[in-house]
Amino acid sequence: MTYQVPLRDIRFVLHELADLSGVLALPGFEDITSELVDAVLDEDARFVEQVVAPLNRVGDTQPAQWHDGVVQTSPGFREAFQAFVKGGWQGLSHPARIGGQGLPRLVAAPVTESLNAGNLSFSLCPLLTDGVIEALSLIGTAEQKALYLPPLMDGRWTGTMNLTEPQAGSDLSLLKTRAEPQADGTYRLSGQKIFITYGEHDLAENIVHLVLARTPGAPAGVKGISLFIVPKFLVNSDGSLGARNDVYCASLEHKLGIHGSPTAVLLYGAGKGAVGEGAVGYRIGEENRGLEAMFIMMNAARYAVGLQGVAVSDRALQQAQAYAAERVQGSALGGAAEAVTIAHHPDVARMLGVMRGLTEGARAVAYVAAGCRDRAAHEPDTARREHSKAVYEYFVPIVKAFSTESALEVSSLGLQVHGGMGFIEETGAAQYYRDARILPIYEGTTAIQANDFVGRKLVRDSGVVARGQMEGMRATVQSLMAVQGEHEQACELLAERLSAAVAAYEEAVNYVLDHAQSNLRGVFAGSVPCLMLAGTVHAGWQLARAACVAVAAISGGDTDSFYKEKVATAVQFGVHVLPRAQALSAVVVVGALADRYAVELVADKG
């Protein structure tokens, strides 16, 4: 299926919901005009649609190949990556002071989304490189920045993050990789890392690994972990490449999805390079504070993975819509006897409406969050800057978890729309479901996001940010209630459903705050429902805001069908998805009791 970047909805969300004009007015963006943003979006759409998207199926059916430590990427990936590099896309949102183009994160968000929608497997390489660039720019030494940032920024080199080991998944306190200090100030690393995305490939001339490891005598647990730069090829002082480091790709994982992305098992210190035994590494940041440094990468990656969820959802939605519009099956209920396309059948229309609501709702939440991040970095007023930072941090686990869990639902519904044909690989619908399945897992599972959301985002500030968001939601309810005319009934329904959802969210937040000190386990037992509740309500809020804008446009005489579709999407979400808020809240407030009996099911069983 041909993929089209949804520029109309992207521009609507940027201007009407995420306040692009306000972001462009911030200090540091004086040279970024709305015309430039439009040009970037148009060129990105052309690149994704013509270069990247056609390789999506290729990567799935012809995955990366490993032979004696060397990895060959899927056909066409090298050429596409060179086009990506030539277009300057890697440095789009990084500051000009480190060689980037300095565009707002709000502009980078749709670019990231569309690249992932075009080809999720391909997009993972630049995603991780972005994280390495951000970590180096924030905690690297002047020498490290000068040596590594320019080739990473211009795409000659790529980057990875190396956390996971066979015995250390989410629990990094179990990490065993060693880093022995040397007389020249370098370190020699030894150990095994697994699940390393693009840990070995043929797209670029060098790979910069950021590796978590322990130095001799380091404290046990996460407080004894340091972070190291370990390049595939050593880098000379003039930036030229030196000897092959002792980093070896032992194999590639065979995965359910994202087949085009090489997921490597890396051996450090196996005597496979040209530097002797032990991979040469350079500490970045303070000793024993590596996990803090790595979280710079992880937080950037978590937001980006949330955009991946939006991206896969949109790709699945487009394919399902196209199939439903052309598949003729059965006659219309209450209509003539002739056969109609399945899009005319009520349940297919329902599924497509839910898919669209989840996709567009998640997109809006993610873009609004990106705007907060820009304000957190560029707002001149200190209080406003700190508030924006708190709101962005509140949004990150919502974006990551809600968008990725929604991608599973959307891609599953997409299969259902296809019927039996969806279960056949040749149609391509199954790939989106397989690809989406990793999204709620990597860069922190949904439960990890939920624990962060409850423990750090709700409890730590006593719910201040959450309650501030609820005030905005209730203001939208009032706007909906004020609508008159053609869409008055629809807006009343939306107001009723959104109001009930906000009340449910408030009930859950109050429960968390009231019981966090006395029964933390009971609170955390309901953390995932609480996070999904937050995502559901925020998505519903943004769709309701969109409906208000659309109704105003229609009332003003605009006949663009896009606005009617925005109202219809909000109604579908209000009818089919927002009522989930009450059920999720009901789970949160009995979390302690539910957990007590859940423990009975696993007691003495492992």
Side-chain angles (χ1 to χ4, degrees), residues 51-73:
V51 179
V52 179
L55 298 175
N56 191 50
R57 187 69 176 158
V58 175
D60 189 54
T61 58
Q62 301 178 62
Q65 299 295 314
W66 175 94
H67 182 71
D68 289 340
V70 177
V71 173
Q72 181 179 8
T73 51

Side-chain angles (χ1 to χ4, degrees), residues 182-271:
Q182 306 296 301
D184 62 358
T186 64
Y187 291 79
R188 289 281 181 156
L189 277 74
S190 59
Q192 178 183 354
K193 296 290 185 178
I194 62 172
F195 303 160
I196 309 306
T197 302
Y198 278 91
E200 178 59 34
H201 59 78
D202 58 359
L203 301 183
E205 64 185 36
N206 202 10
I207 304 173
V208 180
H209 303 290
L210 290 191
V211 185
L212 290 178
R214 295 186 184 280
T215 55
V222 295
K223 294 184 178 180
I225 298 174
S226 300
L227 183 62
F228 300 87
I229 301 170
V230 185
K232 175 180 175 179
F233 289 94
L234 299 187
V235 184
N236 299 318
S237 58
D238 63 356
S240 62
L241 298 184
R244 179 70 159 85
N245 209 349
D246 190 6
V247 184
Y248 179 75
C249 178
S251 64
L252 295 181
E253 304 288 1
H254 299 281
K255 309 187 297 292
L256 174 68
I258 53 171
H259 293 158
S261 170
T263 304
V265 174
L266 295 183
L267 303 181
Y268 290 85

